[in-house]
Amino acid sequence: MSDSDLHHQAPSRAAANDRFKKSFSAWLWGSVLTATALHFAMFMFWPDMTAANVPSDSTETRVVVVPPEIEIPPEPEAISRPAIPVITTADISEDITISPTTFEDNPVETLMQPRDEEAGSLIDAPAITPMTVRPSITNRRELQRALEREYPAMLRDAGIGGTVLIHFFIDEEGTVQRTLVAEASGHVSLDEAALRVAGVARFTPALNLDKVVPVWIQIPITFRAR
């Protein structure tokens, strides 16, 4: 294509662009007027047109009640081991036949009186009976278990103990036939427990020279918490 042809086409393109720009305003307002006319026509022919009511489905909502938080208490403290009672052996030694007697250790009101031959049977009341060999306990382990078993739990746990002086009436076979409280401990429950322990005791028979005789003896029973 020659240069002369290019010069002829350039003015024609410029004229086409100018015509398009001038016609843009007419096309714009024509479109606006046409759209407005269409809207008025729709309102005239369909005046009652409304939006459809579309219900929404809803599900039931459940309220979950959360239980309150539970605080776990601490573990209880360990219970201390109960005290173990012991029985005294000071007054029942195998090597002693007649215990030493003093008025300080044995008040007059607790001492056994000489037996009155006309008073009746020997078992009726504590009395001094002649003997050369004192009875000795033969079941110490059983007596120890009875002492531990009969110790009142309330006093044992509180560390309260005491000594009860007991009268024993022992027959010719070494069997305990009767027990009495000679001197109380100050606690009724300890006195009653001492009598129960005394009923478990077994003895060898007492001897007066070479003769087996029934006798009254006194033995202290001690409850002591370790």
Side-chain angles (χ1 to χ4, degrees):
M1 182 179 292
S2 61
D3 295 335
S4 59
D5 294 332
L6 292 175
H7 287 293
H8 287 294
Q9 290 179 358
S12 61
R13 289 178 180 175
N17 288 334
D18 293 339
R19 288 196 302 273
F20 178 74
K21 291 179 181 179
K22 291 178 180 180
S23 64
F24 174 76
S25 177
W27 282 103
L28 175 63
W29 288 107
S31 300
V32 172
L33 292 175
T34 301
T36 303
L38 288 174
H39 279 79
F40 278 108
M42 291 175 63
F43 287 127
M44 289 178 63
F45 291 103
W46 295 283
D48 298 331
M49 185 173 59
T50 58
N53 184 17
V54 181
S56 60
D57 295 335
S58 62
T59 57
E60 182 180 357
T61 302
R62 294 183 179 182
V63 178
V64 178
V65 179
V66 180
E69 184 178 355
I70 300 175
E71 183 179 355
I72 300 176
E75 295 183 358
E77 297 182 359
I79 301 175
S80 59
R81 184 177 179 181
I84 300 176
V86 295
I87 185 170
T88 181
T89 57
D91 294 329
I92 54 176
S93 174
E94 301 290 346
D95 300 330
I96 299 176
T97 57
I98 300 177
S99 301
T101 302
T102 63
F103 288 107
E104 291 78 9
D105 297 334
N106 300 277
V108 174
E109 57 270 13
T110 65
L111 295 178
M112 290 188 293
Q113 301 300 316
R115 184 190 176 206
D116 186 356
E117 297 294 337
E118 298 179 357
S121 176
L122 179 61
I123 196 174
D124 292 341
I128 297 176
T129 48
M131 70 180 108
T132 56
V133 178
R134 181 183 176 88
S136 60
I137 295 176
T138 60
N139 61 336
R140 293 180 182 276
R141 291 186 178 179
E142 184 181 1
L143 199 61
Q144 177 68 34
R145 290 193 295 268
L147 187 63
E148 295 175 1
R149 181 178 63 252
E150 299 297 341
Y151 197 163
M154 184 176 297
L155 297 180
R156 179 191 60 204
D157 295 341
I160 299 174
T163 299
V164 186
L165 186 62
I166 300 293
H167 287 305
F168 289 81
F169 179 73
I170 305 169
D171 64 12
E172 294 90 335
E173 297 180 356
T175 303
V176 177
Q177 295 292 341
R178 190 179 183 190
T179 56
L180 298 171
V181 174
E183 184 177 352
S185 64
H187 298 280
V188 176
S189 57
L190 281 184
D191 299 341
E192 295 174 349
L195 288 173
R196 292 193 295 270
V197 173
V200 179
R202 299 292 180 270
F203 295 86
T204 59
L207 295 176
N208 187 21
L209 299 178
D210 59 350
K211 183 180 178 182
V212 176
V213 292
V215 293
W216 281 96
I217 63 172
Q218 290 181 342
I219 296 179
I221 295 180
T222 300
F223 294 91
R224 182 170 62 250
R226 291 182 179 178

